[in-house]
């Protein structure tokens, strides 16, 4: 049999640039990717995080130019709950599966110490579900609905002063798990001067507390200039409204007040257009990629390290599995031995307790028996004494009767 000598390219070799002498056809790859992506559709998940009544649902309706299902929440909920709704949207021939996760009851409790925990648990649970799907023998990632949060819109109340402690703590807990985009809700209730000062205070507080918010990418030349400019406008001050008002010859979304009209899509009035442009039209795919390549990879790394995997480990997957399996069985055996030893100790303790109880019962029985014997003896003595008294009484009675029947002089009565 002939042998073939296969020479491997050294790892240090770099690809050489070659010139084609004619058309091959792989320049259609971008079109192929576009067609495949359009046929498959896209998914995008948004977490709306903010206090009750800050305008989360209204802004979502305005962003996607529709009316989502939402019910007003009360302020008396005992804890924070997350309510997720998934919608199928279609624009031209592009389908988008949109999931909106609303934080119900956030900031309404007296004790807000653990308000961030349900949020972290939900985000981790979506990472866990995706990782479990990845690790399956028979995976179906093509049809799997990715529930990982791609963007967290953090709604800040327009106080004009500074961030609340709850806001800082929550964002600090979430910044390594999700892309945080801070926005100032209902920005039409404070003046432009106050709004600019408020924006500066928010960014300074986030920086001083080490909170990492999402920065629009500037490495792509086509959007670098726009994204750089938009990063300087964070946090976006937005106004949401589904009401349409006639301004001039056209109908626009706006909020009417006695002193005037605030147009939602007028950049002189608010940053709604900037938010929509950055979130949906320019950086939606980057938000999805950052979620997968940064936040999910960090979670996956920590999870696999907990399972015993390491990049420095030269062992194969089967060897690592067998090692972890042996460790797990050893831990189970150790726990079983500890439980058996604990059971034996408890049985001995119980036997000692039973023996002590038996000893006490015997002592009580002997005491009662002795007491019964003494009381029986006393009763018998009293009975004997009573019998003696009865006999003496009978004798005295008989003697008295004899004396009474004898006449004086020794003669008996007839």
């Amino acid at each position: 049999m002939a042998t073939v000598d296969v020479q491997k390219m050294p790892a240090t070799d770099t690809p050489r640039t070659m010139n084609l002498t004619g058309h091959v056809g792989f320049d259609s790859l971008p079109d192929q990717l576009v067609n495949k992506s359009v046929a498959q559709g896209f998914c995008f998940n948004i977490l709306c995080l903010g206090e009750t009544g800050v305008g989360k649902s209204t802004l979502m309706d305005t962003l996607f130019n529709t009316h989502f299902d939402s019910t007003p929440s009360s302020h008396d909920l005992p804890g924070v709950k997350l309510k997720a709704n998934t919608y199928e949207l279609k624009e031209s021939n592009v389908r988008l599966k949109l999931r909106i996760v609303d934080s119900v009851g956030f900031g309404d409790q007296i004790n807000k110490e653990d308000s961030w925990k349900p949020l972290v648990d939900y985000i981790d649970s979506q990472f866990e579900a995706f990782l479990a799907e990845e690790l399956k023998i028979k995976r179906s990632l093509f049809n799997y609905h990715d529930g990982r949060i791609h963007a967290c819109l953090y709604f800040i109340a327009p106080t004009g002063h500074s961030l609340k402690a709850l806001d800082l703590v929550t964002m600090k807990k979430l910044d390594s798990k999700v892309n945080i985009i801070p926005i100032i809700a209902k920005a039409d209730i404070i003046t432009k001067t106050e709004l600019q000062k408020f924006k500066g205070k928010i960014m300074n507080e986030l920086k001083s507390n080490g909170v990492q918010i999402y920065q629009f990418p500037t490495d792509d030349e086509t959007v670098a200039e726009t994204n750089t400019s938009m990063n300087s406008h964070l946090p976006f001050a937005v106004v949401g409204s589904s009401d349409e008002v006639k301004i001039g010859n056209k109908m626009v979304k706006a909020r009417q007040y006695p002193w005037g009209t605030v147009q939602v899509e007028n950049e002189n009035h608010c940053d709604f257009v900037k938010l929509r442009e950055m979130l949906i039209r320019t950086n939606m795919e980057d938000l999805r990629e950052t979620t997968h390549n940064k936040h999910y990879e960090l979670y996956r790394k920590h999870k696999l390290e907990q399972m015993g995997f390491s990049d420095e480990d030269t062992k194969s997957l089967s060897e690592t599995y067998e090692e972890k399996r042996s460790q797990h069985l050893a831990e189970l055996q150790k726990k079983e031995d500890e439980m058996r030893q604990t059971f034996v100790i408890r049985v001995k303790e119980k036997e000692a307790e039973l023996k002590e109880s038996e000893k006490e019962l015997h002592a009580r029985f002997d005491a009662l028996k002795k007491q019964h014997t003494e009381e029986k003896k006393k009763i018998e003595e009293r009975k004997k004494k009573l019998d003696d008294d009865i006999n003496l009484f009978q004798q005295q009675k008989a003697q008295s009767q004899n004396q009474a029947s004898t006449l004086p002089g020794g003669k008996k009565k007839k």
Side-chain angles (χ1 to χ4, degrees):
M1 182 180 292
T3 59
V4 179
D5 185 15
V6 179
Q7 295 182 352
K8 293 184 178 180
M9 180 184 291
T12 55
D13 285 359
T14 57
R16 292 180 296 169
T17 302
M18 304 291 291
N19 294 323
L20 303 178
T21 58
H23 182 261
V24 177
F26 57 79
D27 57 352
S28 66
L29 273 173
D31 297 331
Q32 295 176 35
L33 291 174
V34 168
N35 295 334
K36 184 178 180 181
S37 298
V38 170
Q40 182 179 355
F42 302 89
C43 72
F44 192 62
N45 306 318
I46 302 176
L47 170 62
C48 297
L49 182 53
E51 298 178 359
T52 305
V54 79
K56 302 187 292 294
S57 300
T58 303
L59 183 64
M60 288 297 101
D61 292 347
T62 311
L63 267 177
F64 291 94
N65 200 21
T66 186
H67 182 71
F68 297 111
D69 300 330
S70 61
T71 55
S73 175
S74 61
H75 291 268
D76 56 355
L77 296 177
V80 180
K81 294 182 179 180
L82 295 176
K83 184 173 64 175
N85 290 311
T86 305
Y87 307 94
E88 290 278 357
L89 306 180
K90 187 173 182 180
E91 189 174 43
S92 298
N93 64 332
V94 178
R95 293 180 295 107
L96 177 67
K97 184 177 287 187
L98 177 68
R99 173 175 289 184
I100 298 176
V101 183
D102 187 14
S103 58
V104 181
F106 181 76
D108 290 339
Q109 296 74 35
I110 296 176
N111 183 6
K112 303 177 179 64
E113 183 178 359
D114 297 332
S115 296
W116 54 269
K117 284 187 177 180
L119 307 169
V120 172
D121 292 342
Y122 180 83
I123 294 172
D124 285 345
S125 69
Q126 300 305 315
F127 285 155
E128 178 71 24
F130 191 85
L131 179 60
E133 185 67 28
E134 273 191 334
L135 296 177
K136 284 182 179 179
I137 296 176
K138 186 177 180 181
R139 300 183 299 179
S140 57
L141 293 175
F142 180 81
N143 297 323
Y144 177 76
H145 177 61
D146 187 3
R148 296 173 297 177
I149 299 299
H150 300 122
C152 172
L153 298 182
Y154 198 99
F155 289 72
I156 300 171
T159 61
H161 300 292
S162 60
L163 287 172
K164 299 178 181 178
L166 175 63
D167 298 328
L168 289 172
V169 170
T170 303
M171 281 193 273
K172 186 62 179 175
K173 293 291 184 180
L174 297 179
D175 63 357
S176 62
K177 297 178 178 293
V178 69
N179 302 313
I180 299 176
I181 302 177
I183 58 177
I184 302 172
K186 297 183 177 181
D188 52 335
I189 69 173
I190 55 178
T191 64
K192 283 190 175 182
T193 304
E194 292 173 335
L195 192 57
Q196 292 304 318
K197 291 181 180 179
F198 191 33
K199 283 188 175 185
K201 287 181 181 178
I202 290 173
M203 296 305 294
N204 289 333
E205 288 181 346
L206 293 177
K207 184 177 180 180
S208 61
N209 286 277
V211 178
Q212 301 294 325
I213 63 173
Y214 175 75
Q215 294 289 315
F216 302 114
T218 57
D219 51 354
D220 186 354
E221 294 181 358
T222 59
V223 295
E225 184 178 354
T226 302
N227 282 351
T228 301
S229 174
M230 291 302 166
N231 283 329
S232 64
H233 284 84
L234 289 171
F236 293 133
V238 298
V239 176
S241 176
S242 299
D243 299 331
E244 292 190 347
V245 179
K246 189 173 183 180
I247 304 293
N249 295 325
K250 63 178 182 177
M251 301 296 292
V252 298
K253 289 184 172 60
R255 298 182 71 89
Q256 281 190 320
Y257 295 96
W259 44 264
T261 303
V262 177
Q263 300 178 36
V264 172
E265 296 181 332
N266 188 332
E267 294 193 50
N268 294 321
H269 292 181
C270 69
D271 297 331
F272 173 80
V273 174
K274 295 183 177 66
L275 173 64
R276 184 178 62 190
E277 185 73 24
M278 291 296 98
L279 181 66
I280 301 175
R281 300 180 179 179
T282 306
N283 299 298
M284 179 182 284
E285 185 57 27
D286 184 76
L287 286 164
R288 286 157 40 91
E289 290 180 357
T290 304
T291 299
H292 181 79
N293 297 330
K294 180 181 176 182
H295 301 301
Y296 171 69
E297 282 300 318
L298 181 62
Y299 173 86
R300 179 178 172 274
K301 174 177 177 290
H302 291 161
K303 199 70 175 178
L304 293 179
E305 286 176 349
Q306 292 176 3
M307 297 169 63
F309 295 96
S310 174
D311 291 337
E312 290 78 15
D313 198 350
T314 58
K315 300 175 184 177
S316 65
L317 180 62
S318 60
E319 290 174 341
T320 304
Y321 169 77
E322 287 298 330
E323 182 180 347
K324 294 299 294 182
R325 182 175 180 273
S326 300
Q327 292 177 0
H328 180 66
L329 291 176
E331 291 177 359
L332 288 178
Q333 185 63 40
K334 182 180 178 181
K335 289 181 179 180
E336 184 179 352
D337 294 339
E338 291 176 352
M339 292 177 64
R340 184 181 291 109
Q341 186 177 1
T342 303
F343 177 75
V344 171
I345 293 174
R346 290 185 177 179
V347 167
K348 289 182 178 180
E349 291 176 351
K350 197 66 178 178
E351 287 179 350
E353 291 178 2
L354 291 174
K355 287 181 179 179
E356 187 68 24
S357 299
E358 185 179 2
K359 185 177 179 181
E360 291 178 359
L361 287 173
H362 280 298
R364 289 180 60 189
F365 176 76
D366 293 339
L368 289 173
K369 185 177 180 181
K370 183 179 179 181
Q371 183 181 357
H372 177 264
T373 304
E374 291 176 353
E375 290 180 353
K376 183 178 180 181
K377 184 178 179 181
K378 289 179 181 179
I379 292 172
E380 289 177 351
E381 290 176 353
R382 290 178 62 187
K383 181 181 179 184
K384 183 179 179 182
K385 186 176 181 299
L386 286 173
D387 289 341
D388 292 341
D389 291 342
I390 290 173
N391 292 333
L392 180 61
F393 175 75
Q394 293 293 342
Q395 291 175 4
Q396 290 177 354
K397 181 180 178 183
Q399 186 178 359
S400 298
Q401 289 177 351
N402 290 334
Q403 290 177 357
S405 61
T406 303
L407 293 172
K411 294 182 179 180
K412 294 183 179 180
K413 290 183 179 180
K414 293 181 178 180

